[in-house]
Amino acid sequence: MAVEASDKPHVSDGFDDDDDAPIIFKRSTTSKRNVQGSNAPTSNAQGSSLQKGKIIPSGMVLPKKSSEGISRASTSHVKAYLVNSPIANSKSPIGYKPKPSLERKIPSDVTKENSSIMHLTKDNCEDSEDELDNKPLSARLKVNSNNAIKANLAVVKKSSEDSDNVDDNDDIPLSARLKNRNFGTSSSKYDNSDQKKPISKVQKGPQDGSNASINQERPSTLSVKRPLDNTDSLYSSIKKPKLSVLDASISNKKVPIKPEPKVEDDDDDVPFSQRMKKLSESSDKSSSLKKSKNVIKVNKAGSSFKKQATKFNKFSNNSEYSKSTKLLPSSGDGQKKWTTLVHNGVIFPPPYQPHGVKMLYKGKPVVLTPEQEEVATMFAVMRDTDYMQKDKFKENFWTDWRKLLGKNHVIQNLDDCDFTPIYDWCQSEKEKKKQMSSEEKKALKEERAKLEEKYMWAIVDGVKEKVGNFRVEPPGLFRGRGEHPKMGKLKRRIRPNDIIINIGKDAPIPECPIPGESWKDIRHDNTVTWLAFWNDPINPKLFKYVFLAASSSLKGQSDKEKYEKARMLKEYIGNIRAAYTKDFMCRDITKQQIAVATYLIDKLALRAGNEKDDDEADTVGCCTLKIENVTAEAPNKLQFNFLGKDSIKYENTVEVELPVYNAILKFQKDKQPGDDLFDMLDTSKLNAHLKELMPGLTAKVFRTFNASITLDDKLNKDTKDGDVAEKIVVYNHANKQVAIICNHQRSVSKSHTAQMSRLTEKIDELQAVLKELKADLDRARKGKPLLKSSDGKTKKNLNPEALEKKIAQTTTKIEKMQRDMNAKEDLKTVALGTSKINYLDPRITVAWCKRHEVPIEKIFNKSLLAKFAWAMDVDPDFRF
DNA sequence: GCAGGGACTTGCGTAAACTGTA
DNA sequence: TACAGTTTACGCAAGTCCCTGC
């Protein structure tokens, strides 16, 4: 949904019938919340609980507004919670400072205060708080983002300027950079002009049945009609046979629902691919209408999308099976995921080939059996890694290797082992491989591809889909991250009788590729998406699965549902924040802990934090924070310091609301280091509570929501006129903000410093050339002969026009290098990919590219284009 | 209500592939 | 064309969260 900021944006309770009026969100007051209740959430997303007909708990927080959509489900269960929402009925949500409306005060002059606090006092203007309701807390931070973008853009404008504009805080943990931001800043106000545009577009009809939260007051007959100008024509033209996360919420709409045409219902049990074929004619009609509309709008960018579509079509045509870039109808957990499934199982790594190179023990060569040698080689190749500095790694390796050696082996301790001969042999093999001619490399690649071809594809309901990881993991030493207690243990070879295959009942059982062996089991479970699995040899309680690739329809559908659920949170977030704010001072300690934990998850995009076993690395998330992970700094700052997922350090100091600060002090009282901060809480309790606030809501939805809305907001706020390169700078910067919020870090490349030095040198050289050219131009204009070049050579006399051209070329080159250099420095510790792959709704990017004529290939690589094929048809006006 | 099994998503490091430049 | 530098794809570890059975 597009929104543009007015000078005083605020949040309205509902939607104005006036299509042309800007969408205004206004934080609801007590009395209005009941009115909202009549406007059920209709975002095209819904939790599985609804699908399964679960009763919606009475505590459900109502969304601020509904979406236009098509209800395909019963609405009875929705009505139940519409009536009973305590939030809607609450009179004084803020316990410590009674106030009729739900308010967290945003300082009126946040830039001056430089505070990240969200105040609760009444004497702050409602406007500023209202405008923030639909933004992630992180996005409210006072960011130096604009400066950074300007810095990068300035390079384009002023090539000769130095690179002072790059962030100088790259050595600070990503999360810590947040502290420079101001929660509650109005820097990311929606723009009113933006608000208007999309609304008018969206109201023409939901592009994917999910976009819109718009025009809830429309007659129901309108909302259930399948719009002809739906941007996702194929998708839209196909009846979704089952309720999805997306659909159920639509059903919340308290309006009479126009039934779907019966003919479509009959297709419920027909595989999607077949339904697609069946419906292709009708969809063609609508899509052609839609396409013609988009072509006009999209112009140059449109051609890029068309090219992409052609690529997919080519792929599809090459196959004897249909290849869909559209999505399967949703199916919730425990429901049918496929009707027919055919695949060829998995491929095993080749058996170990002994090299016969002898390692040394106390300086003497030792003969090893092939099994012993294989494991010794695994250890030898890790010589240059950090694992070799870790005692636990060596200890675990020694324990497992010793079992293979036997007690009476000549090798009696690891310290006297010298693996250098094996290491050297591996290095030389590596080198040999490197030295192979390109023909040899190509031949090897083709040979491998030929071997693997049959495993690469599965046929799901008649559609050829790529398999993600069809190669069985080879044996190796376990590379647990951080201080994993099992690092270095031998990950044994997986054999066919470790593997359970899942396949369609009528499909041929994949032939076991190892003669004389057989699969552990064959299943025909169509409620799951995995094709095969085996028990993790390191932790047999865990499994390793073979799934379809990210580009598959099944994964795409799941992805889309994820983003729709996050979009739905946008409708609920205001009331959810009000609800937890109310509980900050609750006497019920569990409630209070839930409130504070939810606040942290919302504000800092923390992960939920499941309990962990002792045989895993000691990392934490929100619910598992230990008291030493949070340090209170008077008057109201909290300093976070812990190891999160993958043992990535999270360091951040933020100002919080006083009740949160006090609550943390209370939770820490009388506890010892190592004790849980939230001792009354775990993720299941937290998620159960969240589900009472919004169907399907869990802690991780906040991350998706925060990430996507931040991208949407920043793109729309910061994108200015300019060339594609400038726009990409804006995009990358928005992407960077998201990565910082999510604490997506990467280690600085070893060659970073050298690369920067080289770039600096090159820029200096070009600056010298430019200076010389300018002097030449000056002389040429005066009709004087050119001076000799710096190396003493006589220059060819050029006319002023030619020199001007050269100057322009050199300037452009410098600008590009400067821009690349700034970007490189700016992003050296930030991993942009993770958020792009997992957290940013691709429709935001696609729509932005269309609006601003940026070729989508500049933002999404080949894999992402395939993964997000479902998002490519999005309307240019799409807003998260 | 809880524990644990099970199925999936998220995440970083690195090998492999690709691209630009001399 | 070779090589260095950069980007992408892959591998697999490590999360989240649902479901089931006691």
Side-chain angles (χ1 to χ4, degrees):
Chain A
M1 183 186 67
V3 267
E4 280 191 19
S6 65
D7 289 335
K8 286 187 175 183
H10 51 281
V11 182
S12 81
D13 292 310
F15 286 88
D16 203 311
D17 280 334
D18 183 359
D19 285 359
D20 295 319
I23 292 248
I24 298 166
F25 300 105
K26 190 172 177 70
R27 192 186 287 277
S28 51
T29 60
T30 309
S31 58
K32 284 178 181 177
R33 255 174 258 128
N34 286 329
V35 177
Q36 289 174 339
S38 65
N39 298 316
T42 57
S43 157
N44 194 6
Q46 184 68 306
S48 57
S49 61
L50 278 183
Q51 294 178 45
K52 292 174 185 172
K54 286 182 185 169
I55 303 296
I56 305 298
S58 60
M60 190 76 73
V61 171
L62 298 178
K64 286 185 175 303
K65 53 191 176 349
S66 324
S67 305
E68 178 179 29
I70 304 164
S71 173
R72 302 179 179 92
S74 160
T75 58
S76 60
H77 51 280
V78 176
K79 286 173 188 167
Y81 86 80
L82 291 175
V83 175
N84 294 323
S85 169
I87 302 303
N89 294 319
S90 66
K91 286 180 181 172
S92 179
I94 301 163
Y96 66 94
K97 182 153 188 176
K99 192 179 178 206
S101 62
L102 307 171
E103 294 188 357
R104 269 177 311 178
K105 185 237 176 181
I106 306 302
S108 56
D109 189 353
V110 287
T111 52
K112 279 181 192 168
E113 291 182 14
N114 191 25
S115 160
S116 63
I117 192 170
M118 293 188 291
H119 299 276
L120 286 145
T121 50
K122 192 174 177 175
D123 53 345
N124 291 284
C125 72
E126 287 191 0
D127 287 342
S128 51
E129 67 160 6
D130 291 343
E131 71 184 281
L132 297 163
D133 268 351
N134 282 331
K135 297 179 184 185
L137 287 164
S138 46
R140 304 178 190 189
L141 305 172
K142 184 186 175 186
V143 197
N144 52 0
S145 61
N146 289 336
N147 295 339
I149 293 181
K150 280 174 198 162
N152 276 321
L153 293 180
V155 171
V156 180
K157 306 286 181 203
K158 279 187 161 190
S159 64
S160 59
E161 289 177 6
D162 61 22
S163 58
D164 287 345
N165 44 22
V166 286
D167 287 353
D168 57 359
N169 54 354
D170 283 319
D171 295 331
I172 301 167
L174 292 182
S175 51
R177 297 185 208 174
L178 288 168
K179 69 186 171 188
N180 296 327
R181 299 149 190 236
N182 195 336
F183 285 79
T185 181
S186 56
S187 67
S188 56
K189 283 177 185 173
Y190 288 132
D191 208 340
N192 262 348
S193 55
D194 262 355
Q195 274 185 336
K196 281 182 187 171
K197 255 195 297 184
I199 290 162
S200 58
K201 299 292 180 190
V202 170
Q203 282 175 339
K204 287 176 187 170
Q207 55 183 313
D208 55 9
S210 61
N211 57 353
S213 349
I214 305 290
N215 203 8
Q216 62 180 0
E217 300 295 333
R218 285 187 164 206
S220 60
T221 48
L222 258 185
S223 66
V224 294
K225 275 183 188 164
R226 183 165 287 124
L228 282 177
D229 60 344
N230 192 315
T231 54
D232 195 349
S233 58
L234 250 180
Y235 187 66
S236 67
S237 63
I238 294 160
K239 163 75 168 60
K240 290 182 178 183
K242 293 187 181 72
L243 242 195
S244 69
V245 163
L246 323 178
D247 296 315
S249 76
I250 298 169
S251 70
N252 290 348
K253 222 175 169 180
K254 238 182 161 181
V255 288
I257 305 301
K258 187 177 175 181
E260 289 291 316
K262 181 79 176 84
V263 62
E264 291 180 346
D265 289 338
D266 292 339
D267 281 343
D268 277 6
D269 292 327
V270 178
F272 180 73
S273 53
Q274 290 169 33
R275 273 176 269 144
M276 282 192 27
K277 284 175 197 163
K278 224 173 154 182
L279 291 161
S280 60
E281 270 193 335
S282 60
S283 69
D284 281 346
K285 202 176 171 185
S286 60
S287 67
S288 62
L289 277 173
K290 172 208 71 189
K291 275 173 191 164
S292 63
K293 182 183 102 182
N294 285 352
V295 164
I296 296 164
K297 274 184 191 167
V298 167
N299 299 329
K300 275 187 271 179
S303 68
S304 151
F305 285 87
K306 274 190 274 178
K307 268 187 219 162
Q308 194 53 43
T310 314
K311 276 183 201 168
F312 286 122
N313 289 339
K314 269 187 190 169
F315 174 86
S316 174
N317 294 338
N318 285 341
S319 167
E320 59 184 300
Y321 304 95
S322 57
K323 174 75 181 104
S324 168
T325 60
K326 304 298 170 188
L327 301 176
L328 286 158
S330 161
S331 52
D333 285 335
Q335 294 191 11
K336 194 166 82 175
K337 301 276 171 48
W338 47 265
T339 303
T340 64
L341 173 63
V342 184
H343 63 87
N344 288 309
V346 291
I347 188 167
F348 290 85
Y352 179 68
Q353 300 290 333
H355 47 66
V357 176
K358 292 181 179 61
M359 59 169 291
L360 307 175
Y361 182 70
K362 293 188 175 174
K364 291 178 183 166
V366 184
V367 177
L368 297 173
T369 67
E371 293 74 26
Q372 295 163 351
E373 181 196 283
E374 181 181 17
V375 181
T377 306
M378 291 170 189
F379 188 76
V381 297
M382 294 188 75
R383 189 161 90 171
D384 299 329
T385 70
D386 291 342
Y387 287 106
M388 281 301 164
Q389 313 307 319
K390 298 189 173 182
D391 291 340
K392 194 78 203 171
F393 183 86
K394 290 188 276 194
E395 182 191 318
N396 285 334
F397 163 74
W398 172 241
T399 305
D400 284 1
W401 191 42
R402 195 163 193 212
K403 284 178 199 161
L404 277 177
L405 294 174
K407 271 192 173 175
N408 298 322
H409 198 275
V410 61
I411 296 175
Q412 286 295 314
N413 71 71
L414 191 59
D415 290 340
D416 289 324
C417 290
D418 181 0
F419 296 88
T420 306
I422 299 180
Y423 173 84
D424 290 343
W425 179 83
C426 291
Q427 293 298 107
S428 74
E429 286 299 299
K430 232 181 187 175
E431 192 55 34
K432 272 186 209 165
K433 210 174 155 190
K434 223 174 164 183
Q435 295 304 321
M436 275 168 29
S437 70
S438 50
E439 286 75 24
E440 286 172 312
K441 282 180 189 167
K442 200 180 162 192
L444 264 180
K445 196 183 159 189
E446 277 169 6
E447 196 184 329
R448 181 177 150 118
K450 209 174 160 186
L451 268 175
E452 294 185 340
E453 169 66 21
K454 69 181 243 190
Y455 301 99
M456 282 176 74
W457 305 95
I459 315 297
V460 186
D461 293 342
V463 179
K464 188 173 177 181
E465 303 272 19
K466 220 172 179 182
V467 179
N469 52 328
F470 51 86
R471 299 178 192 97
V472 171
E473 291 175 21
L477 301 182
F478 176 65
R479 301 184 180 206
R481 291 164 192 164
E483 298 304 314
H484 199 294
K486 291 189 171 181
M487 64 168 73
K489 281 182 72 64
L490 173 62
K491 209 164 56 132
R492 68 170 178 82
R493 185 173 290 267
I494 301 300
R495 311 210 66 91
N497 65 6
D498 292 311
I499 296 178
I500 294 171
I501 298 283
N502 191 34
I503 197 156
K505 262 184 182 163
D506 299 326
I509 308 296
E511 193 185 335
C512 178
I514 300 180
E517 298 193 28
S518 57
W519 305 115
K520 183 177 182 181
D521 195 10
I522 303 291
R523 291 191 197 164
H524 310 288
D525 184 354
N526 69 359
T527 68
V528 295
T529 64
W530 55 265
L531 310 183
F533 84 85
W534 62 90
N535 285 85
D536 180 359
I538 294 296
N539 187 350
K541 283 190 295 184
L542 305 178
F543 310 101
K544 299 283 194 175
Y545 291 92
V546 174
F547 290 115
L548 292 172
S551 56
S552 66
S553 299
L554 270 173
K555 292 280 188 192
Q557 177 65 37
S558 165
D559 228 21
K560 185 173 181 182
E561 285 176 13
K562 174 181 76 181
Y563 291 117
E564 282 307 313
K565 196 189 276 181
R567 288 181 81 205
M568 183 160 72
L569 177 54
K570 197 176 91 172
E571 314 299 325
Y572 287 79
I573 193 68
N575 286 344
I576 288 172
R577 286 173 180 161
Y580 67 58
T581 300
K582 183 184 154 206
D583 285 343
F584 285 160
M585 295 178 74
C586 184
R587 284 185 184 174
D588 179 332
I589 186 79
T590 306
K591 272 190 177 176
Q592 192 184 19
Q593 291 196 356
I594 285 175
V596 173
T598 310
Y599 170 85
L600 296 179
I601 283 167
D602 182 20
K603 177 166 181 156
L604 301 174
L606 299 187
R607 293 186 187 85
N610 283 323
E611 298 294 329
K612 296 191 78 182
D613 289 344
D614 291 341
D615 58 0
E616 295 176 273
D618 194 13
T619 62
V620 301
C622 185
C623 292
T624 43
L625 283 169
K626 308 290 175 207
I627 63 158
E628 66 269 26
N629 295 139
V630 185
T631 309
E633 289 177 9
N636 63 339
K637 278 187 183 171
L638 294 177
Q639 190 188 95
F640 293 84
N641 192 330
F642 60 88
L643 294 181
K645 183 179 177 183
D646 292 319
S647 296
I648 299 289
K649 203 172 176 68
Y650 184 96
E651 280 179 302
N652 194 9
T653 303
V654 286
E655 283 187 51
V656 296
E657 297 180 38
L658 204 55
V660 171
Y661 179 84
N662 289 332
I664 294 285
L665 287 179
K666 179 179 156 189
F667 301 155
Q668 288 177 325
K669 201 178 173 192
D670 300 328
K671 288 184 189 165
Q672 304 298 316
D675 289 348
D676 287 330
L677 180 70
F678 298 114
D679 55 322
M680 305 300 287
L681 197 56
D682 61 33
T683 53
S684 59
K685 276 183 193 155
L686 178 68
N687 284 335
H689 171 76
L690 293 175
K691 275 182 191 65
E692 290 178 3
L693 305 178
M694 186 190 104
L697 182 62
T698 62
K700 85 190 205 39
V701 179
F702 283 90
R703 266 168 88 82
T704 313
F705 164 75
N706 272 315
S708 286
I709 206 159
T710 299
L711 178 79
D712 189 78
D713 182 44
K714 294 205 76 63
L715 285 182
N716 285 283
K717 192 159 58 68
D718 295 341
T719 309
K720 306 279 187 288
D721 287 340
D723 62 22
V724 168
E726 289 172 294
K727 288 170 185 168
I728 290 171
V729 168
V730 171
Y731 186 93
N732 285 339
H733 196 268
N735 194 169
K736 181 190 168 192
Q737 294 304 314
V738 173
I740 290 171
I741 289 166
C742 295
N743 202 36
H744 291 149
Q745 300 188 26
R746 63 169 181 165
S747 45
V748 181
S749 118
K750 282 171 191 166
S751 58
H752 177 81
T753 313
Q755 287 168 18
M756 291 300 282
S757 307
R758 257 193 312 277
L759 277 169
T760 309
E761 278 171 26
K762 280 185 182 173
I763 289 170
D764 288 347
E765 281 170 23
L766 285 171
Q767 294 284 15
V769 170
L770 187 66
K771 196 177 168 189
E772 212 169 290
L773 282 169
K774 282 178 178 170
D776 290 347
L777 176 64
D778 195 40
R779 292 185 70 86
R781 279 180 178 153
K782 290 173 183 165
K784 293 180 185 172
L786 301 189
L787 294 173
K788 285 186 178 177
S789 64
S790 52
D791 53 5
K793 288 180 184 167
T794 310
K795 288 183 207 161
K796 194 174 127 186
N797 274 325
L798 293 172
N799 60 39
E801 289 72 30
L803 283 165
E804 276 168 2
K805 199 178 165 190
K806 269 195 152 186
I807 286 171
Q809 284 170 345
T810 310
T811 305
T812 307
K813 211 170 173 182
I814 291 171
E815 284 169 359
K816 185 182 179 300
M817 290 183 88
Q818 193 93 54
R819 195 167 54 234
D820 289 350
M821 194 172 153
N822 287 343
K824 192 187 279 287
E825 181 63 30
D826 200 31
L827 299 172
K828 71 178 178 186
T829 59
V830 189
L832 299 187
T834 307
S835 50
K836 219 187 246 184
I837 292 167
N838 298 302
Y839 288 108
L840 300 175
D841 187 334
R843 292 170 297 183
I844 298 168
T845 301
V846 173
W848 177 81
C849 282
K850 287 179 178 178
R851 285 201 298 277
H852 297 284
E853 299 186 359
V854 175
I856 188 67
E857 295 88 347
K858 298 276 181 191
I859 309 290
F860 288 162
N861 61 35
K862 200 177 70 178
S863 297
L864 290 179
L865 287 169
K867 176 178 162 79
F868 298 137
W870 59 269
M872 293 300 152
D873 282 350
V874 75
D875 192 281
D877 293 323
F878 176 90
R879 293 292 303 271
F880 186 78

